[in-house]
Amino acid sequence: MDYVGRFVGSNAAAKSPTATNDGATGGNDATTTQTSSAASSHRNTSTRWSILSERVQGLLAEAHAVGAMTEGYCLEMSDMEGPAMRAVRVKMMSTDWPGEWEAERTMFAYGEEMSTDPLEAMFLKAIVTMKSPRRVLEVGMFTGYGAAAMLEGCAGARVVSLEIDPYLKTWVGECLQGVDDASEEEGSCYASRHSIVVGPALDTLPSLPVSEPFDLVFVDANKSEYRRYVEILMERGLLAPGCQILADNTLYCGIPYTDPLFDAQPARRAFGEAIREFNLW
């Protein structure tokens, strides 16, 4: 087999000695001469490299750009946060969650990272806007950022949230009532359209009236119980015709599709396996 020289037979682009960090080159590219990587200030990418380690660097840089910058860009292009969502987010970020836990006011140690993230909330709001559901069920509420998004998505929708912690019922209720009280918009009624049922979801789901089925369901509670939540909803006839079910964390830290060898948090493996079984179901 004939020897394949540098860059020949690949899509990799030759480096330029006058390349800048942003990938631009100075002068006439056609007349520049090839230099070693040490002489070049050019930023490596998957197609601009001299040796394999530089290609790996380039791939990692591109993976970071795609993985870390995508969500920020989407949020810049999709800012639909209204007054209820904003109030919940501001209160959530200013709440001393470790202090509340230490004071034994909350059932669990919370942090804002446990909330529905902003981009996901925008998605929920868009879905509700398009579907215009009459009744929405949220299984697992936390600070209610997702609930606020769904309330904003359709002015006629009523949202029922199942939440295990009584502390959060008061926390969210006061927050949404504060939005209504401060609103200059006539008829602001976020709090009155939001009901919170306290208790473990497996206990409260059977208590929901079958005469009031749901047009949309958002599942985001105990990951090991997802399947049973949906089974109860179906068994009791709580899903209206055409009901849409949305489930969060269906990729759960990559656990449903990765080998245990890669587990950085082995304690989460059981939840990930339960999610995998739910996805298959």
Side-chain angles (χ1 to χ4, degrees):
M1 179 181 294
D2 293 336
Y3 173 72
V4 177
R6 189 181 187 204
F7 297 127
V8 176
S10 79
N11 292 324
K15 288 186 174 183
S16 164
T18 55
T20 60
N21 285 333
D22 63 2
T25 57
N28 187 338
D29 284 347
T31 61
T32 54
T33 58
Q34 192 77 22
T35 67
S36 69
S37 59
S40 174
S41 59
H42 154 201
R43 184 170 57 183
N44 297 316
T45 72
S46 61
T47 58
R48 296 172 68 95
W49 51 278
S50 294
I51 56 177
L52 181 60
S53 62
E54 291 178 346
R55 186 182 185 216
V56 172
Q57 292 171 7
L59 288 168
L60 291 173
E62 292 178 29
H64 171 75
V66 173
M69 297 172 64
T70 301
E71 183 170 353
Y73 177 76
C74 290
L75 284 171
E76 289 179 10
M77 300 296 106
S78 309
D79 185 8
M80 300 188 296
E81 188 179 68
M85 295 174 67
R86 188 175 304 109
V88 169
R89 177 175 55 79
V90 170
K91 182 177 180 179
M92 176 177 63
M93 298 302 292
S94 62
T95 296
D96 179 13
W97 296 110
E100 296 296 274
W101 168 245
E102 291 173 6
E104 300 183 348
R105 285 189 280 268
T106 62
M107 289 182 65
F108 306 100
Y110 298 128
E112 61 272 9
E113 74 281 356
M114 299 173 67
S115 171
T116 301
D117 68 66
L119 188 59
E120 182 181 14
M122 303 292 182
F123 173 75
L124 288 175
K125 184 173 181 177
I127 290 293
V128 171
T129 299
M130 291 185 286
K131 189 169 180 60
S132 296
R134 187 178 67 86
R135 286 173 56 77
V136 177
L137 176 66
E138 179 184 44
V139 185
M141 178 186 69
F142 187 38
T143 60
Y145 192 63
M150 293 186 285
L151 288 165
E152 288 185 358
C154 178
R158 303 187 69 85
V159 177
V160 177
S161 296
L162 308 186
E163 172 53 50
I164 194 172
D165 194 338
Y167 170 92
L168 293 172
K169 177 177 182 177
T170 302
W171 192 100
V172 174
E174 291 177 349
C175 185
L176 293 182
Q177 188 59 59
V179 175
D180 290 339
D181 293 343
S183 176
E184 297 179 358
E185 179 182 344
E186 185 177 353
S188 177
C189 54
Y190 295 112
S192 63
R193 291 190 292 118
H194 187 217
S195 303
I196 303 172
V197 182
V198 175
L202 290 182
D203 295 339
T204 55
L205 277 169
S207 70
L208 298 178
V210 295
S211 60
E212 299 179 322
F214 297 96
D215 306 295
L216 181 71
V217 176
F218 176 48
V219 180
D220 187 19
N222 189 325
K223 313 311 168 191
S224 65
E225 298 174 350
Y226 272 26
R227 175 170 176 169
R228 188 56 191 150
Y229 297 154
V230 179
E231 287 177 337
I232 293 174
L233 289 168
M234 293 190 297
E235 291 167 1
R236 301 198 64 243
L238 287 168
L239 304 178
C243 176
Q244 184 173 10
I245 300 176
L246 306 175
D248 195 11
N249 303 118
T250 52
L251 300 182
Y252 199 68
C253 307
I255 292 176
Y257 55 88
T258 57
D259 191 283
L261 179 68
F262 299 106
D263 284 1
Q265 301 180 67
R268 293 182 180 269
R269 169 55 59 173
F271 291 112
E273 292 295 337
I275 288 292
R276 184 178 64 82
E277 293 176 6
F278 172 76
N279 293 340
L280 290 171
W281 179 65

